[in-house]
Short mmCIF file of all heavy atoms in Angstrom, two decimals:
data_model
loop_
_atom_site.label_atom_id
_atom_site.label_comp_id
_atom_site.label_asym_id
_atom_site.label_seq_id
_atom_site.Cartn_x
_atom_site.Cartn_y
_atom_site.Cartn_z
N ARG A 28 0.81 -1.22 0.00
CA ARG A 28 0.00 0.00 0.00
C ARG A 28 0.84 1.27 0.00
O ARG A 28 0.36 2.34 -0.41
CB ARG A 28 -0.94 0.01 1.21
CG ARG A 28 -2.04 -1.03 1.11
CD ARG A 28 -2.90 -1.08 2.37
NE ARG A 28 -3.94 -2.09 2.28
CZ ARG A 28 -4.77 -2.42 3.25
NH1 ARG A 28 -4.67 -1.81 4.44
NH2 ARG A 28 -5.68 -3.35 3.08
N THR A 29 2.07 1.18 0.43
CA THR A 29 2.92 2.37 0.45
C THR A 29 3.20 2.88 -0.96
O THR A 29 3.63 4.03 -1.13
CB THR A 29 4.26 2.07 1.15
OG1 THR A 29 4.90 0.97 0.49
CG2 THR A 29 4.04 1.72 2.62
N GLU A 30 2.96 2.04 -1.97
CA GLU A 30 3.21 2.44 -3.35
C GLU A 30 2.02 3.13 -3.99
O GLU A 30 2.10 3.61 -5.13
CB GLU A 30 3.58 1.19 -4.19
CG GLU A 30 4.78 0.41 -3.66
CD GLU A 30 6.07 1.18 -3.78
OE1 GLU A 30 6.18 2.03 -4.69
OE2 GLU A 30 6.98 0.95 -2.96
N ILE A 31 0.88 3.17 -3.30
CA ILE A 31 -0.36 3.68 -3.89
C ILE A 31 -0.40 5.20 -3.83
O ILE A 31 -0.04 5.80 -2.81
CB ILE A 31 -1.58 3.08 -3.19
CG1 ILE A 31 -1.58 1.54 -3.33
CG2 ILE A 31 -2.88 3.66 -3.74
CD1 ILE A 31 -2.65 0.85 -2.53
N GLY A 32 -0.86 5.82 -4.91
CA GLY A 32 -0.91 7.27 -4.97
C GLY A 32 -2.28 7.88 -4.73
O GLY A 32 -2.41 8.96 -4.19
N ASN A 33 -3.35 7.19 -5.20
CA ASN A 33 -4.72 7.72 -5.09
C ASN A 33 -4.85 9.13 -5.67
O ASN A 33 -5.54 9.98 -5.11
CB ASN A 33 -5.18 7.71 -3.61
CG ASN A 33 -5.46 6.32 -3.09
OD1 ASN A 33 -6.06 5.50 -3.79
ND2 ASN A 33 -5.02 6.04 -1.88
N LYS A 34 -4.20 9.33 -6.82
CA LYS A 34 -4.25 10.65 -7.45
C LYS A 34 -5.03 10.64 -8.76
O LYS A 34 -5.52 11.69 -9.19
CB LYS A 34 -2.83 11.17 -7.70
CG LYS A 34 -2.06 11.46 -6.42
CD LYS A 34 -0.66 11.96 -6.72
CE LYS A 34 0.11 12.25 -5.42
NZ LYS A 34 1.50 12.72 -5.69
N LYS A 35 -5.12 9.48 -9.41
CA LYS A 35 -5.84 9.37 -10.67
C LYS A 35 -6.72 8.13 -10.63
O LYS A 35 -6.35 7.13 -9.99
CB LYS A 35 -4.85 9.24 -11.84
CG LYS A 35 -3.96 10.46 -12.04
CD LYS A 35 -2.84 10.17 -13.01
CE LYS A 35 -3.34 9.88 -14.41
NZ LYS A 35 -2.21 9.75 -15.37
N PRO A 36 -7.88 8.16 -11.29
CA PRO A 36 -8.70 6.95 -11.36
C PRO A 36 -7.94 5.82 -12.05
O PRO A 36 -7.10 6.06 -12.92
CB PRO A 36 -9.91 7.38 -12.20
CG PRO A 36 -9.93 8.87 -12.12
CD PRO A 36 -8.50 9.30 -12.00
N MET A 37 -8.26 4.60 -11.68
CA MET A 37 -7.59 3.47 -12.32
C MET A 37 -8.06 3.28 -13.75
O MET A 37 -7.32 2.79 -14.60
CB MET A 37 -7.80 2.20 -11.50
CG MET A 37 -6.96 2.15 -10.24
SD MET A 37 -6.73 0.48 -9.60
CE MET A 37 -8.32 0.19 -8.85
N ILE A 38 -9.31 3.62 -14.04
CA ILE A 38 -9.80 3.58 -15.42
C ILE A 38 -9.59 4.95 -16.04
O ILE A 38 -9.97 5.98 -15.48
CB ILE A 38 -11.29 3.18 -15.47
CG1 ILE A 38 -11.43 1.71 -15.08
CG2 ILE A 38 -11.87 3.43 -16.86
CD1 ILE A 38 -12.87 1.19 -15.13
N GLY A 39 -8.97 4.96 -17.22
CA GLY A 39 -8.65 6.21 -17.89
C GLY A 39 -9.57 6.49 -19.06
O GLY A 39 -10.60 5.83 -19.24
N PRO A 40 -9.21 7.45 -19.91
CA PRO A 40 -10.02 7.80 -21.09
C PRO A 40 -9.93 6.72 -22.16
O PRO A 40 -8.88 6.12 -22.38
CB PRO A 40 -9.41 9.12 -21.55
CG PRO A 40 -8.02 9.11 -21.03
CD PRO A 40 -8.06 8.36 -19.74
N TYR A 41 -11.04 6.48 -22.83
CA TYR A 41 -11.13 5.46 -23.87
C TYR A 41 -10.83 6.05 -25.25
O TYR A 41 -10.95 7.24 -25.49
CB TYR A 41 -12.53 4.84 -23.88
CG TYR A 41 -12.83 3.97 -22.68
CD1 TYR A 41 -13.27 4.56 -21.48
CD2 TYR A 41 -12.68 2.61 -22.73
CE1 TYR A 41 -13.54 3.77 -20.37
CE2 TYR A 41 -12.97 1.81 -21.63
CZ TYR A 41 -13.39 2.39 -20.44
OH TYR A 41 -13.66 1.61 -19.36
N GLY A 42 -10.42 5.17 -26.15
CA GLY A 42 -10.31 5.52 -27.55
C GLY A 42 -9.08 6.30 -27.94
O GLY A 42 -9.00 6.83 -29.05
N VAL A 43 -8.06 6.37 -27.04
CA VAL A 43 -6.88 7.19 -27.34
C VAL A 43 -5.57 6.48 -27.02
O VAL A 43 -4.54 7.11 -26.86
CB VAL A 43 -6.94 8.54 -26.58
CG1 VAL A 43 -7.99 9.45 -27.17
CG2 VAL A 43 -7.17 8.32 -25.09
N ASN A 44 -5.62 5.15 -26.91
CA ASN A 44 -4.41 4.39 -26.57
C ASN A 44 -3.77 4.94 -25.30
O ASN A 44 -2.57 5.22 -25.25
CB ASN A 44 -3.41 4.40 -27.72
CG ASN A 44 -2.29 3.39 -27.51
OD1 ASN A 44 -2.53 2.27 -27.12
ND2 ASN A 44 -1.06 3.81 -27.78
N TYR A 45 -4.58 5.06 -24.28
CA TYR A 45 -4.16 5.67 -23.01
C TYR A 45 -3.00 4.89 -22.41
O TYR A 45 -3.13 3.73 -22.05
CB TYR A 45 -5.34 5.69 -22.06
CG TYR A 45 -5.08 6.31 -20.71
CD1 TYR A 45 -4.72 7.64 -20.58
CD2 TYR A 45 -5.24 5.55 -19.55
CE1 TYR A 45 -4.51 8.21 -19.33
CE2 TYR A 45 -5.04 6.12 -18.30
CZ TYR A 45 -4.67 7.44 -18.20
OH TYR A 45 -4.47 8.01 -16.96
N GLY A 46 -1.85 5.56 -22.29
CA GLY A 46 -0.67 4.90 -21.75
C GLY A 46 -0.21 5.47 -20.42
O GLY A 46 0.66 4.90 -19.76
N ASP A 47 -0.82 6.58 -20.00
CA ASP A 47 -0.39 7.26 -18.77
C ASP A 47 -1.20 6.77 -17.57
O ASP A 47 -1.62 7.54 -16.72
CB ASP A 47 -0.54 8.77 -18.94
CG ASP A 47 0.14 9.54 -17.82
OD1 ASP A 47 1.10 9.01 -17.24
OD2 ASP A 47 -0.30 10.67 -17.54
N TYR A 48 -1.44 5.46 -17.54
CA TYR A 48 -2.22 4.91 -16.43
C TYR A 48 -1.38 4.96 -15.16
O TYR A 48 -0.15 4.81 -15.18
CB TYR A 48 -2.69 3.49 -16.73
CG TYR A 48 -1.63 2.55 -17.22
CD1 TYR A 48 -0.80 1.87 -16.34
CD2 TYR A 48 -1.46 2.32 -18.59
CE1 TYR A 48 0.19 1.01 -16.79
CE2 TYR A 48 -0.48 1.45 -19.04
CZ TYR A 48 0.33 0.80 -18.15
OH TYR A 48 1.31 -0.06 -18.59
N PRO A 49 -2.04 5.14 -14.00
CA PRO A 49 -1.29 5.28 -12.75
C PRO A 49 -0.75 3.94 -12.25
O PRO A 49 -1.27 2.87 -12.59
CB PRO A 49 -2.33 5.84 -11.78
CG PRO A 49 -3.62 5.28 -12.29
CD PRO A 49 -3.48 5.26 -13.80
N ILE A 50 0.28 4.01 -11.43
CA ILE A 50 0.82 2.80 -10.82
C ILE A 50 -0.22 2.13 -9.93
O ILE A 50 -0.09 0.94 -9.59
CB ILE A 50 2.10 3.14 -10.03
CG1 ILE A 50 2.93 1.87 -9.78
CG2 ILE A 50 1.76 3.86 -8.73
CD1 ILE A 50 4.31 2.14 -9.24
N ASP A 51 -1.28 2.85 -9.62
CA ASP A 51 -2.34 2.28 -8.79
C ASP A 51 -3.02 1.08 -9.44
O ASP A 51 -3.64 0.27 -8.73
CB ASP A 51 -3.40 3.35 -8.48
CG ASP A 51 -2.92 4.37 -7.47
OD1 ASP A 51 -1.75 4.28 -7.05
OD2 ASP A 51 -3.70 5.27 -7.10
N VAL A 52 -2.95 0.94 -10.76
CA VAL A 52 -3.56 -0.24 -11.38
C VAL A 52 -2.88 -1.52 -10.90
O VAL A 52 -3.45 -2.61 -11.02
CB VAL A 52 -3.53 -0.17 -12.93
CG1 VAL A 52 -4.31 1.03 -13.43
CG2 VAL A 52 -2.11 -0.16 -13.47
N TYR A 53 -1.67 -1.39 -10.35
CA TYR A 53 -0.98 -2.53 -9.76
C TYR A 53 -1.37 -2.68 -8.28
O TYR A 53 -2.12 -3.57 -7.90
CB TYR A 53 0.53 -2.36 -9.86
CG TYR A 53 1.09 -2.34 -11.26
CD1 TYR A 53 1.11 -1.17 -12.00
CD2 TYR A 53 1.63 -3.48 -11.83
CE1 TYR A 53 1.64 -1.14 -13.28
CE2 TYR A 53 2.17 -3.47 -13.10
CZ TYR A 53 2.17 -2.29 -13.83
OH TYR A 53 2.70 -2.27 -15.09
#
């Protein structure tokens, strides 16, 4: 849990090859 940021939603914008997903998805 020390690695979690809680700054961006885990689901990002669709249709744009979203690559800037947060480390929170892990």
Side-chain angles (χ1 to χ4, degrees):
R28 291 176 181 175
T29 56
E30 303 292 332
I31 299 173
N33 287 318
K34 294 180 180 179
K35 296 169 65 174
M37 285 201 284
I38 290 181
Y41 290 83
V43 288
N44 192 44
Y45 181 62
D47 191 26
Y48 50 84
I50 198 169
D51 287 3
V52 299
Y53 296 84

